[in-house]
Amino acid sequence: MLCQENTVHYCSLTFVVGGVLYLLRQISTHMPYGRYVDTKSPGMMVPAKAGWFIQELPSFLVPVLLFLMTESLPGIGRHLLLWTFGLHYFQRTFVYSPLTKGRPSPLYIVVSAVSFCSVNGFLQGHYMLHCSQYHSEWHRDTRLITGLLMFFTGMAINIHSDYILRNLRKPGEVSYKIPRGGMFELVSGANFFGEIVEWCGYAVASWSFPAFSFALFTICSIGPRAYHHHRYYLERFKDYPKSRKAVIPFLL
């Protein structure tokens, strides 16, 4: 399959612009997810487990189909794609989704997420399989090594933080509690921090515009969620640790 350079460039640029606009929108309003979902509002709701599975699946499935059904360039690009991008979405689709205890999501949110994940799955998969060109010594490059360390560190933080959140409440409990342990001792949005570190690491390791644009979109998308969570905790719990930041340890 030939590299579609214009498609890659304009899709990446769209992620950059879209991410900034999404950030500006979230500054002034809550998006309907998690605790901010009004389950009594009109419109179809999708159960949490099904919603997460459906919306995360394209990010895993599209690159895999591209890998299996198209000719790709030899080299490290395909391995980066499979063992970083693919690994993350395998975990989110087949491990996180069945375990989640979140609230239902509005159907339009799930549809929007499916659309985004399908486009991003194609963008990252197509670029790494059909466009990327790395020199023969890239496996020793500082950017690759640093990026992979960031990616797997972020993934570990993300998975561990999700585990803490899932086990905050005992069966039958509905009230929110203060998360403790791991990176939650430093930030309110430890799971978001982990995912941001992941995709920044992927961007550094691949050193590509599509990966950087996705990392930026991720920051703009889930960074404000961490801020809203942080403000919610501070308002709800008088004993909430004042030393915690929202999403970046010691800074923000």
Side-chain angles (χ1 to χ4, degrees):
M1 184 175 182
L2 295 176
C3 175
Q4 305 298 316
E5 294 184 8
N6 287 338
T7 300
V8 168
H9 177 76
Y10 287 114
C11 277
S12 301
L13 193 60
T14 299
F15 278 13
V16 172
V17 176
V20 173
L21 294 176
Y22 194 31
L23 171 66
L24 294 176
R25 180 182 179 187
Q26 288 195 94
I27 289 175
S28 59
T29 183
H30 291 297
M31 296 302 293
Y33 63 89
R35 71 194 63 182
Y36 308 114
V37 171
D38 181 4
T39 55
K40 297 181 181 180
S41 62
M44 184 178 294
M45 305 294 289
V46 182
K49 288 180 170 60
W52 276 105
F53 179 84
I54 293 168
Q55 69 189 40
E56 300 288 276
L57 181 61
S59 286
F60 175 77
L61 188 60
V62 173
V64 168
L65 290 176
L66 286 173
F67 179 79
L68 295 175
M69 300 178 67
T70 64
E71 293 186 12
S72 58
L73 296 172
I76 201 170
R78 62 171 66 189
H79 299 291
L80 266 176
L81 174 70
L82 290 176
W83 298 114
T84 53
F85 189 84
L87 180 63
H88 170 89
Y89 281 106
F90 178 87
Q91 193 275 333
R92 298 294 286 183
T93 303
F94 299 106
V95 179
Y96 173 81
S97 297
L99 294 175
T100 186
K101 299 177 181 179
R103 293 187 178 187
S105 296
L107 178 61
Y108 77 91
I109 292 292
V110 176
V111 172
S112 299
V114 167
S115 301
F116 175 82
C117 287
S118 298
V119 173
N120 190 47
F122 174 82
L123 175 63
Q124 306 301 330
H126 174 63
Y127 178 82
M128 297 304 289
L129 292 173
H130 308 123
C131 303
S132 64
Q133 295 184 13
Y134 298 100
H135 57 74
S136 58
E137 297 298 311
W138 185 256
H139 64 285
R140 299 178 182 176
D141 194 286
T142 303
R143 288 167 290 184
L144 175 65
I145 297 170
T146 302
L148 290 180
L149 285 174
M150 290 174 61
F151 179 87
F152 287 109
T153 299
M155 188 173 187
I157 292 171
N158 181 249
I159 292 173
H160 182 245
S161 301
D162 284 336
Y163 171 80
I164 291 174
L165 291 175
R166 281 198 306 272
N167 291 278
L168 269 181
R169 290 174 286 187
K170 297 178 181 179
E173 290 184 333
V174 294
S175 60
Y176 283 100
K177 295 183 177 180
I178 299 175
R180 300 185 185 277
M183 285 300 297
F184 280 112
E185 297 301 320
L186 298 178
V187 293
S188 299
N191 51 331
F192 299 132
F193 171 72
E195 190 162 353
I196 287 172
V197 171
E198 267 189 90
W199 294 125
C200 287
Y202 174 70
V204 172
S206 63
W207 208 252
S208 67
F209 187 28
F212 276 106
S213 69
F214 177 44
L216 177 64
F217 189 93
T218 299
I219 293 170
C220 294
S221 173
I222 65 180
R225 297 182 190 181
Y227 168 75
H228 289 309
H229 282 5
H230 182 67
R231 191 168 65 177
Y232 172 86
Y233 287 136
L234 288 173
E235 293 174 354
R236 183 179 180 89
F237 302 106
K238 294 183 178 180
D239 59 339
Y240 193 74
K242 298 298 187 291
S243 61
R244 286 190 196 180
K245 301 299 182 181
V247 66
I248 302 177
F250 312 111
L251 296 177
L252 180 65

